[in-house]
Amino acid sequence: MLNPHFITVSDCLRTQYALVRTRSVALSEPLSEEDCCVQSMPDASPIKWHLAHTTWFFETFILEKFESDFHAHDPAFRVLYNSYYNGVGDKHPRAQRGMLTRPSLAEVLAYRSNVDDRIQTLLSKHDLFSPHSTELAMLVELGMQHEQQHQELMMTDLKHLLSLNPLKPAYSAEPLQPALTPPAITWLEFDAGVVEIGHASDSFCFDNELPRHRQFLEKFSLASRLVTNGEYLEFVKAGGYKDPSLWLSEGWDWISTQHISHPTFWHPAQSAAPAEKPAGWLEFTLHGILPLDLHRPVTHISFFEAEAYARWVGARLPTESEWEHAAGTVEMIPGNLEPQLHPAPYDHHTALVDMFGVAWQWTSSSYAPYPGYVSAEGAIGEYNGKFMVNQYVLRGSSCATPTGHARVTYRNFFPSTARWQFTGIRLAK
Amino acid sequence: MLNPHFITVSDCLRTQYALVRTRSVALSEPLSEEDCCVQSMPDASPIKWHLAHTTWFFETFILEKFESDFHAHDPAFRVLYNSYYNGVGDKHPRAQRGMLTRPSLAEVLAYRSNVDDRIQTLLSKHDLFSPHSTELAMLVELGMQHEQQHQELMMTDLKHLLSLNPLKPAYSAEPLQPALTPPAITWLEFDAGVVEIGHASDSFCFDNELPRHRQFLEKFSLASRLVTNGEYLEFVKAGGYKDPSLWLSEGWDWISTQHISHPTFWHPAQSAAPAEKPAGWLEFTLHGILPLDLHRPVTHISFFEAEAYARWVGARLPTESEWEHAAGTVEMIPGNLEPQLHPAPYDHHTALVDMFGVAWQWTSSSYAPYPGYVSAEGAIGEYNGKFMVNQYVLRGSSCATPTGHARVTYRNFFPSTARWQFTGIRLAK
Amino acid sequence: MLNPHFITVSDCLRTQYALVRTRSVALSEPLSEEDCCVQSMPDASPIKWHLAHTTWFFETFILEKFESDFHAHDPAFRVLYNSYYNGVGDKHPRAQRGMLTRPSLAEVLAYRSNVDDRIQTLLSKHDLFSPHSTELAMLVELGMQHEQQHQELMMTDLKHLLSLNPLKPAYSAEPLQPALTPPAITWLEFDAGVVEIGHASDSFCFDNELPRHRQFLEKFSLASRLVTNGEYLEFVKAGGYKDPSLWLSEGWDWISTQHISHPTFWHPAQSAAPAEKPAGWLEFTLHGILPLDLHRPVTHISFFEAEAYARWVGARLPTESEWEHAAGTVEMIPGNLEPQLHPAPYDHHTALVDMFGVAWQWTSSSYAPYPGYVSAEGAIGEYNGKFMVNQYVLRGSSCATPTGHARVTYRNFFPSTARWQFTGIRLAK
Amino acid sequence: MLNPHFITVSDCLRTQYALVRTRSVALSEPLSEEDCCVQSMPDASPIKWHLAHTTWFFETFILEKFESDFHAHDPAFRVLYNSYYNGVGDKHPRAQRGMLTRPSLAEVLAYRSNVDDRIQTLLSKHDLFSPHSTELAMLVELGMQHEQQHQELMMTDLKHLLSLNPLKPAYSAEPLQPALTPPAITWLEFDAGVVEIGHASDSFCFDNELPRHRQFLEKFSLASRLVTNGEYLEFVKAGGYKDPSLWLSEGWDWISTQHISHPTFWHPAQSAAPAEKPAGWLEFTLHGILPLDLHRPVTHISFFEAEAYARWVGARLPTESEWEHAAGTVEMIPGNLEPQLHPAPYDHHTALVDMFGVAWQWTSSSYAPYPGYVSAEGAIGEYNGKFMVNQYVLRGSSCATPTGHARVTYRNFFPSTARWQFTGIRLAK
């Protein structure tokens, strides 16, 4: 999965490792012990758990294999911080992660330091071009990519937790500027034909992006930008959540049973304050509760909502192959260079914009193995393959995705009801 | 969807109509009023409800449109026997279908006679080649195909109901002959290339089989026959239900929570009677409870179980395109000419056998619209499209499928946990 | 529990037996097989199951003990029709009673005939004054009382089932006369003092009415009659279901979660038909759906609703001892001599009316053993004692209680949320 | 409820107030922010929430009424920390208390300081013998008693939380001495007669202990001491959890469904370490996980378990009147003067021991109003009365009950399945 040749010296990998690992702790710094401990729902995990689990990953899959005198930092952590790797043994139940007030945050940070020191020592001792070291470098790369995934989850899990608090606390006190008026959507057309899909180069990718293979695409068009809050609000106002003919049957049952009538972090404005006037709606963000910005892309949208919206406007969601083919074909405007706490769209009137760095984009594709897919041997093989059922693929990346983590062939996936990620809508025809 | 040209005279359609409608009533004849009334689970419906709902379909979509002096047989039935058509108005809640001890079975049969008479009158009055009549003929054809689907459900819903009865009653007293030893599986190979998928001719098909379109298939192989009870029993004995590495994560959670350790209608044999010796297992069938016949195809298998079994033997499930391409390419042995109460495999040593008439075959394909799919206008458009999420496609047909109902492009679909249909396993590589 | 001396000849018991047994079958006669088979909720049982279970009771507790050459009518019935007697062995799960489309109603009626013949033979052969025969007579008496209890449940379980049918079918086509205007409630006063509670004579009673013991009652008053629909409607109109201060905390949670805003069989009238004018409400009855009769006693009231209503009018529910003491002390107007399908109040302006034969009356007393209570040995001991927790005592009897079944010391009991029995409100102060 | 005459000077009340309030904070001192924030189940609350809610009680019911220039410390807290007082307005949902990572623990402690200062100022300004001040003194007394109740809950809720942690952390590192061998149970006998029940003096009591009234008790005997772990272990070993004849029907369903086979904090010992030998069981305590001490009273027992155990030994649970009459009649050994973290029994061979300060004792009495009970006006009236249904009374006090909080007439109450309180068994006959 990784070609070690791009790592010219082990120093490079050690530096990257330190940067990734430091960023996770930095994300937790504005937070109290309590903020880091609580679990807001079974699908989300506490910040502290993320900090510990990403460390467990390095300890379990690297130190245990490469340290000659390996001993666990704490044997209990093997169970406490195993997420879903049956091949490694028992796991603390997912829904009970928030019960772990011990080990304390300080103990988890000490665990991180201990494992970091040992990884750095390990890397400094290895000639990364030997065959054995190639595996080491590949696993460290995997661990870093894994940690980046958890960095995004830290932000979305935290946002969900804070959203449940009636005080609507802000993660960041920094003010947010209103977005500019977006250009009208234009449609980029693509011809029918056999295309190649999947990761091609020798740079890092996850196993679910392989093997590269051929697919036949019929002619299609892709929207130049994402759907905005303002556009989505028209759907809400037009009774989109009350018309069963717009919804998949299971989606209709879901919004009916759960009493869903708008995106998850929207709130009807109750005051007549001018700031709230434009929309009549507020939105909970990591910057606190704010008037809904009609010019920003709509986010925190489930697959069912994205699919119903697309039907309402006479369009559809793209397949993941269409998305990937388009992204690899035409000019794209480079996305945000640094992650943001809230989606910031680009102001470009041509080209495909916001493919990356703004909002994950639902596709109509069920998450499934590519033809010829083989998962890795052992517990590492549980990383991706076993989730390939009843989930839908999202493409691109979001404002919360770490720098350098996204790529054209990247396959994110969530169940059709997931709403707490930065998920948005790009239309196709 | 239907080319009326094959209907040379309206007599032909009237005869077909009478045959289809008569068969539904005939299926219920060995049953008591009680057998026909009870609902065994929300996913299943009472026999009496099937008899009424299929009639409602003709009344609502045909009589209401084509009768100049239409009046409902009973206005209450419009709600009682609407399954899921939001466009038609209110529906009696699905999980409450078994509460309808009234209208009585006799009243439902009277409803059938009344609607049958009116449909026959209608058909006898129309020149089926006029444009308006083309639509009539197409809707009658759709109604007959719809009724055939319910005929299969009548058998599987009834089997589920009877299976819950500790007395394990038989629907049919006829004895069942042991199956012959099946030949070894052989693998038929298919080259990579662009193929055409979807219904092509002008004969009847459902909207989900359209439009015919191109796909690129990588090289693949398909197993010559279905997996047998005997082969599946090896998987059970080898601890297949206890090894998480064989299962999709959601499937593992499901079998753990539901305490599933074997196919749904299998029972460990408790006596030492010689008849039960071969397998040590019994199987509940529509012929009553019988020793498990190791030579018959395994059925009543969920997608999760099919997928895990395939992994265990080092194979996989086919995609629906692979299945359809293979079925349209190579020689097939014609299936059973008449539906059976229990899957009867063929004894052929070459060719693709049991593609039809034995067991529906799980594919790895999520149920999704074909490129360019458009559902019909109005309530009829709710027939297929709104179910295209979180379900998996099954191909072929089963022993319970009515004669003439199956075809190569047919797309059946069920959720990944469904077990009460005659569903089996054909492997691919 | 039973003094056999009142049975002067075995003929008397045989006649009583025949009358009781015949009545159960008679109750089912207006019903179809389907009506008799379906189970509307886990708390209710199918009519056919009641017919079989009451027969099982005689077979299991009498024939098995007294027949020298006993053999079960059908060994499978031992499990199928055991309700809750762990001492007898396995039980078919309560919530699955409605799945038993087999044995058929005809088979159950044949079971009844067989057991009836054998009981009659047994009784004709015994000198009922021998010690062994005393036990026989006592068990037959218990079986008859048990069957009478199930006769009442047959009517209430059936009413619940029919109420779920949108057609609102009537069990009886007989019209119902409007009730007369009831007199105002008067309050009968009782002095403080030590009283005796519990069954005293040597006639039949259940074990939960024993032993007779002393209690001290403070001064109290009891309402002369039951609360009417009209009075209860005032509570509904005054927002009684919207004011948490009127409700026990658990009751408030229950009505909030279940969206309960009126008695269970009431329906807001939708038409402006004059017949529905008086109340604006309809009520589902065994005579079909009718305008709510404001002069009849309110029934199908849960403990929570009874308790909230009493608080709203500045009164309370009586304790069971207060009720029993009052009933044994003052003049009562004799109740209905025959069971009715709907509560018919008496038109008397003095005395305690409607203590029996109209509606079971909730008391504030939790169902608990009397001081010195001992349950019977063996499975028969499971009849009452094991239910003495988290239920509330009801006193009197209802319009559905068989003639001769009620008495002053009788203790009925249901959970605080039960609404499908003929349960009403008599106030105390 | 309170006679202010015992408060000779307002200084006395101010001192008591300071002591009670300080103790709550002291209980939380060994804990981290995280320990104080997490909610382990809907029935339990976070420590931080207890600290805030008890403060809310003083602010809402006293400062708001008696401060002439009242303004809320923070208006949001009115909703956040309201437990169940509908009369005060909205409430944060009980099951979501653990989501409140903000306000921080420091902010809650600041809230406490602010309210404490204002209460002290208020008390210093009032002549506590004026009529208005009598109400003030009564409400302060109620607030202190309320806070003491929460102090006990803080310990039991914390114990439940820590018990869910696989690390089994100890609240206190102090070692626990083994208990002495207890004396055999002796039975104290009491004659039948009319007794007076309920609070009599003019000292503080809760409204549910009033009014004092008469009851008739039949002759009964009460066990001299509580049931020990060793005695209860005999019940476990003898298959007590596997024999339905010992259980109330609802209790049997509950232990079957929940897979309960021993007291909630017991764990089968897995090692063969000598320390674990005596019992083969460990017990989780606030001192950490320890070998089960067979000589200590069994605690964390549900009503269902207590009742089943009593039946197994041929005894029963006392009624609450029997308990109160006995406690007021015979010599009792004074209990622990200070609360403990684990129940410590007394070593006395005569008299009624351990009536207080060890374990709450289940009675067979459903929680119900005494004859003539009237709850207070307004929101304070929601304190007790609205919980009087489907709960059982416990008498005495536990090792976690604050000094001075217990009395003979005190009525504690919990549902029949509650296991996380220090609840034990005293037998009666």
Side-chain angles (χ1 to χ4, degrees), chain D residues 271-302:
Chain D
S271 81
E276 301 175 359
K277 273 290 170 48
W281 291 83
L282 304 176
E283 184 180 19
F284 178 70
T285 76
L286 287 167
H287 295 271
I289 193 131
L290 298 173
L292 181 68
D293 186 337
L294 300 180
H295 295 157
R296 288 183 190 264
V298 67
T299 49
H300 301 293
I301 287 291
S302 67

Side-chain angles (χ1 to χ4, degrees), chain C residues 175-197:
Chain C
L176 205 58
Q177 297 307 315
L180 298 177
T181 308
I185 285 178
T186 57
W187 296 92
L188 287 86
E189 293 186 11
F190 299 87
D191 288 336
V194 172
V195 301
E196 295 209 349
I197 296 295

Side-chain angles (χ1 to χ4, degrees), chain A residues 269-396:
Chain A
Q270 285 162 355
S271 81
E276 302 175 359
K277 274 289 170 49
W281 290 83
L282 304 175
E283 184 180 19
F284 178 71
T285 76
L286 286 168
H287 295 271
I289 192 131
L290 298 173
L292 182 68
D293 187 337
L294 300 181
H295 295 158
R296 288 181 190 266
V298 67
T299 48
H300 301 292
I301 287 291
S302 66
F303 172 83
F304 285 130
E305 290 164 298
E307 212 266 352
Y309 176 83
R311 183 170 294 116
W312 181 69
V313 293
R316 61 173 174 85
L317 301 179
T319 65
E320 63 167 322
S321 304
E322 289 171 342
W323 194 100
E324 181 173 327
H325 175 59
T329 304
V330 304
E331 184 194 13
M332 286 188 291
I333 305 302
N336 291 302
L337 295 180
E338 292 298 326
Q340 316 281 320
L341 298 178
H342 200 60
Y346 279 91
D347 176 29
H348 280 277
H349 290 239
T350 59
L352 280 175
V353 298
D354 303 340
M355 294 291 271
F356 295 97
V358 179
W360 289 100
Q361 293 141 63
W362 284 110
T363 74
S364 64
S365 300
S366 173
Y367 184 42
Y370 284 163
Y373 169 77
V374 183
S375 60
E377 286 289 308
I380 280 284
E382 299 184 50
Y383 200 101
N384 271 311
K386 73 182 184 181
F387 301 108
M388 291 177 173
V389 68
N390 293 335
Q391 311 217 44
Y392 284 81
V393 174
L394 299 115
R395 289 302 193 104

Side-chain angles (χ1 to χ4, degrees), chain D residues 29-328:
Chain D
E29 259 158 24
L31 301 173
S32 68
E33 275 183 27
E34 315 174 48
D35 292 332
C36 291
C37 183
V38 170
Q39 179 173 33
S40 62
M41 61 170 168
D43 283 344
S45 297
I47 295 289
K48 186 172 70 170
W49 190 91
H50 285 296
L51 293 173
H53 164 68
T54 48
T55 305
W56 170 93
F57 193 96
F58 285 107
E59 187 185 36
T60 304
F61 294 121
I62 297 177
L63 295 185
E64 190 164 345
K65 177 162 198 157
F66 290 91
E67 279 190 345
S68 51
D69 60 341
F70 173 80
H71 56 276
H73 176 77
D74 186 325
F77 292 9
R78 188 181 181 90
V79 171
L80 285 186
Y81 300 127
N82 180 0
S83 53
Y84 54 66
Y85 296 87
N86 294 307
V88 174
D90 286 343
K91 308 175 298 282
H92 186 65
R94 178 175 188 116
Q96 298 276 323
R97 288 176 185 167
M99 297 298 113
L100 301 176
T101 62
R102 324 280 179 95
S104 69
L105 181 55
E107 289 169 296
V108 164
L109 294 176
Y111 178 37
R112 290 185 70 88
S113 293
N114 175 270
V115 167
D116 284 351
D117 289 349
R118 290 156 70 186
I119 291 281
Q120 291 290 10
T121 301
L122 199 66
L123 289 177
S124 67
K125 279 200 283 193
H126 278 73
D127 167 5
L128 291 176
F129 293 102
S130 77
H132 189 60
S133 296
T134 299
E135 190 191 357
L136 170 60
M138 285 169 70
L139 285 168
V140 171
E141 175 74 32
L142 181 63
M144 294 190 303
Q145 296 279 346
H146 171 256
E147 181 133 0
Q148 288 184 314
Q149 291 182 312
H150 279 274
Q151 286 169 357
E152 176 151 3
L153 292 173
M154 285 167 74
M155 289 295 98
T156 53
D157 290 357
L158 175 72
K159 184 171 180 178
H160 185 260
L161 170 63
L162 297 180
S163 79
L164 296 180
N165 192 316
L167 304 180
K168 303 295 174 203
Y171 171 73
S172 162
E174 230 174 290
L176 205 59
Q177 298 306 316
L180 299 178
T181 307
I185 285 178
T186 57
W187 295 91
L188 287 86
E189 294 187 9
F190 299 87
D191 288 337
V194 173
V195 301
E196 294 209 349
I197 295 296
H199 194 70
S201 81
D202 51 10
S203 60
F204 175 85
C205 74
F206 287 112
D207 61 359
N208 62 7
E209 302 167 49
L210 295 173
R212 188 159 171 92
H213 62 286
R214 290 163 286 180
Q215 291 199 17
F216 187 90
L217 298 185
E218 301 282 354
K219 186 167 176 264
F220 72 98
S221 303
L222 199 66
S224 57
R225 63 156 172 81
L226 303 179
V227 171
T228 62
N229 284 323
E231 288 162 343
Y232 197 85
L233 181 57
E234 293 306 310
F235 171 67
V236 174
K237 286 182 180 167
Y241 284 85
K242 292 173 190 158
D243 179 357
S245 75
L246 297 171
W247 296 79
L248 289 165
S249 181
E250 186 179 322
W252 178 251
D253 291 347
W254 174 68
I255 65 167
S256 303
T257 312
Q258 303 291 316
H259 306 292
I260 290 171
S261 59
H262 53 72
T264 190
F265 293 139
W266 288 21
H267 297 263
Q270 285 162 355
S271 81
E276 301 175 359
K277 273 290 170 48
W281 291 83
L282 304 176
E283 184 180 19
F284 178 70
T285 76
L286 287 167
H287 295 271
I289 193 131
L290 298 173
L292 181 68
D293 186 337
L294 300 180
H295 295 157
R296 288 183 190 264
V298 67
T299 49
H300 301 293
I301 287 291
S302 67
F303 172 82
F304 285 130
E305 290 164 297
E307 212 265 352
Y309 176 82
R311 182 170 295 115
W312 182 68
V313 292
R316 62 174 174 86
L317 301 179
T319 66
E320 61 166 325
S321 303
E322 289 170 342
W323 194 101
E324 180 173 329
H325 175 59

Side-chain angles (χ1 to χ4, degrees), chain C residues 181-184 186 224 346-351 353:
Chain C
T181 308
T186 57
S224 57
Y346 280 93
D347 177 29
H348 281 276
H349 289 238
T350 58
V353 297

Side-chain angles (χ1 to χ4, degrees), chain B residues 119-139:
Chain B
I119 290 281
Q120 292 289 12
T121 301
L122 199 66
L123 289 176
S124 65
K125 279 198 284 193
H126 278 74
D127 166 6
L128 291 175
F129 293 102
S130 77
H132 188 62
S133 296
T134 299
E135 190 189 359
L136 169 60
M138 285 170 72
L139 285 168

Side-chain angles (χ1 to χ4, degrees), chain A residues 31-35 37-40 48 76 80 92 96 98-105 161 164-167 169, chain D residues 31-35 37-40 48 76 80 92 98-105 161 164-167 169:
Chain A
L31 302 172
S32 67
E33 275 183 28
E34 315 174 48
D35 292 332
C37 182
V38 169
Q39 181 173 31
S40 63
K48 187 173 70 172
L80 285 185
H92 188 64
Q96 298 277 321
M99 296 298 114
L100 300 177
T101 62
R102 325 280 179 93
S104 69
L105 180 55
L161 169 63
L164 297 180
N165 193 318
L167 304 179
Chain D
L31 301 173
S32 68
E33 275 183 27
E34 315 174 48
D35 292 332
C37 183
V38 170
Q39 179 173 33
S40 62
K48 186 172 70 170
L80 285 186
H92 186 65
M99 297 298 113
L100 301 176
T101 62
R102 324 280 179 95
S104 69
L105 181 55
L161 170 63
L164 296 180
N165 192 316
L167 304 180

